[in-house]
Each structure stands twice: as C-alpha cells, then as structure tokens.
C-alpha cells in the first residue's frame, strides 16, 4: 500500500525519525571523540605550563609559539622535575604532597595528575570553608630553579586564568594568560605575547617587603616596561575591567603560595 506523504502525520513521524537518527549520530560522534578531546585539553595545559616556564619556540618579538603537541608530553616530563600539591586553608599550608602522594589520594581519585587540578573547583571549596589544593611545578630556567603557579579570576565577560613562573624570591620569570570570552582586540589581548612578556622580571613585593602583587595599571608611564620594581605593568587599551581582573587574580592567588616561598628561605 502506498504511503500518503501529504498527511501531517507522515511529516511529523518523518521529522521525529530524523531527529532520532541525527541525535544518535551526534551522540555517537561526541562519545567517540571524547577521549581525543580530553587528551588535547591535557596536552594544551602542559603546553601552557611549559610556556610560562620559558620552554617554547618564541623567537625575536613575534607571536607566541608553544612546544608542538607531538612533543609536549615528553617536554613536560623532561622540564618539570617535580609536581607539588599544597593543601591550604586560611593562609596556612596543611600538607605538602609529591605527585605520587597526590595521585594516591582517594579523596581526589587515584591516578589524577597534579597538573589536572581544577582550579575553579578548588576555589569553590575554599569559598565553602574547606581546604583547597594548589598545584606547583618545579623546573629549571637558564640554570636556575623556577616554580610555576596557577591563577584563575574573572574578566569582563567570563573566566580568565594563567600560569606564572617565579623564582625563589617570587620575581616573575614567565607568564601565560588565557580567557574564555574577552573582547577580541581588547581584553582578549591578555593572551598576546607583548602583554605576557611585560610581566617578566616584575617583583611581587614592595620595597618595604610587603606582598603587593602586580597591577595592570593605566598611567603606568613605563610603556616599554623597563621599571621592574614598581609592581605595575602597562594596561591594555580599552580593557580596564579585564586588566583589573588580571591584577586581582595575581594578588589573590599568588598570595596563597606565600607560605611555601617563605619556607624556601
């Protein structure tokens, strides 16, 4: 018997069938690609940490160049000598863990690498009065030990985050910043090399010895960023709120690492 394709019921059933078929295909595709997507995100995080540490392909004053994805895993294993996890609460370090100790922690799920710590979730834990975990990555830069710290804050539209390499005196030796949805050509420029390079050599302490952080400041009067003891870098044009977000996350999150660096001395 011929099917009457002019009926409304046929149209509805056909549409339902197509939705089910397409939905099933999309679900299958998403499920199939999930392991690859997860792996790419992990490699990207390693690239970002390495970039802050100074392990990258930058040349001259050109654009940023990361360690290639096919070399990132080996480069991370070679250049990051230690992954350390600090459990902190109320400005105090409750516990310092090695990579192996952290990965055995049942509370975090066995096998979880420190570099995969979700900073957003850890910030939520701290807001709820719980202890939180801070990742710290130790390596070498020009023969000297550097410590890469993780920061996360709020820009104009969405989250901003990054990794900042410090020496034992908490002087910046490299930085990487990224964002979820800042305005292209304005706040999104926190990911530009010229902005990130300005942080290198900046001190986190004032001359008085008080922890001050680094402000992304208008009227810095130092466009080439030659002065490194003023606790400031030049602001991005038209991106005041994003710049303020960078300033706030640096001061707030790096202050959490203070007890560790004080113990180094």
């Amino acid at each position: 018997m011929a099917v009457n394709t002019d009926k409304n019921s046929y149209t509805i059933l056909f549409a339902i069938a197509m939705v089910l078929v397409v939905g099933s295909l999309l679900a299958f595709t998403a499920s199939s690609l999930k392991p690859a997507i997860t792996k790419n995100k992990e490699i990207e995080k390693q690239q970002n940490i390495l970039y802050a540490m100074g392990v990258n392909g930058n040349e001259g004053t050109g654009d940023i160049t990361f360690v290639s994805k096919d070399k990132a895993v080996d480069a991370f294993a070679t250049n990051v000598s230690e992954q350390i996890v600090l459990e902190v609460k109320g400005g105090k370090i409750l516990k310092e863990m090695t990579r192996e100790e952290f990965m055995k922690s049942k509370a975090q799920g066995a096998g979880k690498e420190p570099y995969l710590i979700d900073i957003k979730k850890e910030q939520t834990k701290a807001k709820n009065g719980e202890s939180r975990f801070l990742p710290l990555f130790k390596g070498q830069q020009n023969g000297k030990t550097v410590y890469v710290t993780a920061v996360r804050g709020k820009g104009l539209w969405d989250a901003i985050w990054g990794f900042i390499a410090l020496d034992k005196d908490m002087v910046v030796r490299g930085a990487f910043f990224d964002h979820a949805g800042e305005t292209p050509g304005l706040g999104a420029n926190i990911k530009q090399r010229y902005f990130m390079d300005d942080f290198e050599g900046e001190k986190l302490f004032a001359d008085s010895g008080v922890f001050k952080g680094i402000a992304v400041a208008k009227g810095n009067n130092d466009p080439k960023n030659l002065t490194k003891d003023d606790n400031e870098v030049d602001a991005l044009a038209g991106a005041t709120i994003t710049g303020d977000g960078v300033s706030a996350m640096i001061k707030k999150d790096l202050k959490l690492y203070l007890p560790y660096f004080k113990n180094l001395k």
Side-chain angles (χ1 to χ4, degrees):
M1 185 175 73
V3 177
N4 185 356
T5 58
D6 293 328
K7 285 186 175 182
N8 288 337
S9 58
Y10 175 84
T11 303
I12 293 171
L13 289 172
F14 180 79
I16 292 173
M18 288 301 295
V19 168
L20 291 173
V21 170
V22 173
S24 297
L25 287 173
L26 288 174
F28 174 77
T29 302
S31 178
S32 301
L33 293 176
K34 188 175 181 180
I37 293 172
T38 300
K39 186 62 178 177
N40 282 335
K41 287 181 178 178
E42 293 177 2
I43 291 175
E44 182 180 355
K45 213 164 189 179
Q46 290 179 326
Q47 289 176 305
N48 296 346
I49 293 167
L50 289 170
Y51 185 92
M53 190 179 283
V55 183
N56 52 57
N58 286 352
E59 293 182 2
T61 58
D63 294 334
I64 63 173
T65 305
F66 297 103
V67 172
S68 62
K69 286 189 174 182
D70 61 323
K71 296 179 180 178
V73 175
D74 288 340
F76 190 81
T78 300
N79 290 279
V80 178
S81 58
E82 290 183 56
Q83 290 190 65
I84 301 165
V85 178
L86 307 175
E87 183 177 4
V88 301
K89 185 178 182 181
K92 295 181 179 180
I93 296 177
L94 303 180
K95 189 176 183 181
E96 180 179 329
M97 289 177 278
T98 64
R99 169 181 175 268
E100 291 72 20
E101 289 171 337
F102 179 75
M103 291 178 70
K104 291 178 182 177
S105 172
K106 293 182 180 179
Q108 294 304 301
K112 183 175 181 180
E113 291 274 2
Y115 76 88
L116 297 177
I117 288 175
D118 189 326
I119 304 300
K120 181 180 179 180
K121 288 183 179 179
E122 296 305 314
Q123 289 178 335
T124 300
K125 286 167 57 179
K127 288 179 182 178
N128 293 333
E130 305 174 50
S131 63
R132 62 169 290 181
F133 294 106
L134 298 175
L136 186 65
F137 312 96
K138 189 176 178 181
Q140 294 288 312
Q141 185 187 86
N142 299 323
K144 296 183 179 181
T145 302
V146 292
Y147 306 83
V148 181
T149 58
V151 295
R152 183 182 176 88
K154 180 74 170 64
L156 173 59
W157 303 113
D158 210 326
I160 55 176
W161 60 88
F163 295 98
I164 298 177
L166 306 169
D167 63 18
K168 62 181 178 62
D169 297 314
M170 296 193 85
V171 175
V172 178
R173 295 306 175 194
F176 173 81
F177 299 114
D178 206 344
H179 63 93
E182 298 307 287
T183 308
L186 299 174
N189 285 345
I190 64 170
K191 197 176 179 180
Q192 293 297 315
R193 182 179 168 187
Y194 72 84
F195 178 72
M196 295 187 283
D197 283 355
D198 274 356
F199 286 83
E200 188 172 344
E202 288 289 335
K203 298 177 181 179
L204 291 169
F205 290 92
D207 290 338
S208 63
V210 175
F211 181 85
K212 193 172 180 180
I214 301 170
V216 180
K218 285 185 176 181
N220 184 36
N221 296 320
D222 184 23
K224 294 186 178 181
N225 200 45
L226 299 177
T227 304
K228 296 297 183 179
D229 57 0
D230 59 355
N231 303 103
E232 292 183 348
V233 297
D234 211 35
L236 293 167
T240 301
I241 296 177
T242 305
D244 289 345
V246 172
S247 303
M249 77 174 179
I250 288 175
K251 187 171 185 178
K252 172 177 61 70
D253 286 358
L254 293 188
K255 196 171 185 179
L256 298 172
Y257 289 93
L258 266 178
Y260 178 85
F261 283 92
K262 286 181 178 179
N263 288 338
L264 290 178
K265 297 180 180 181

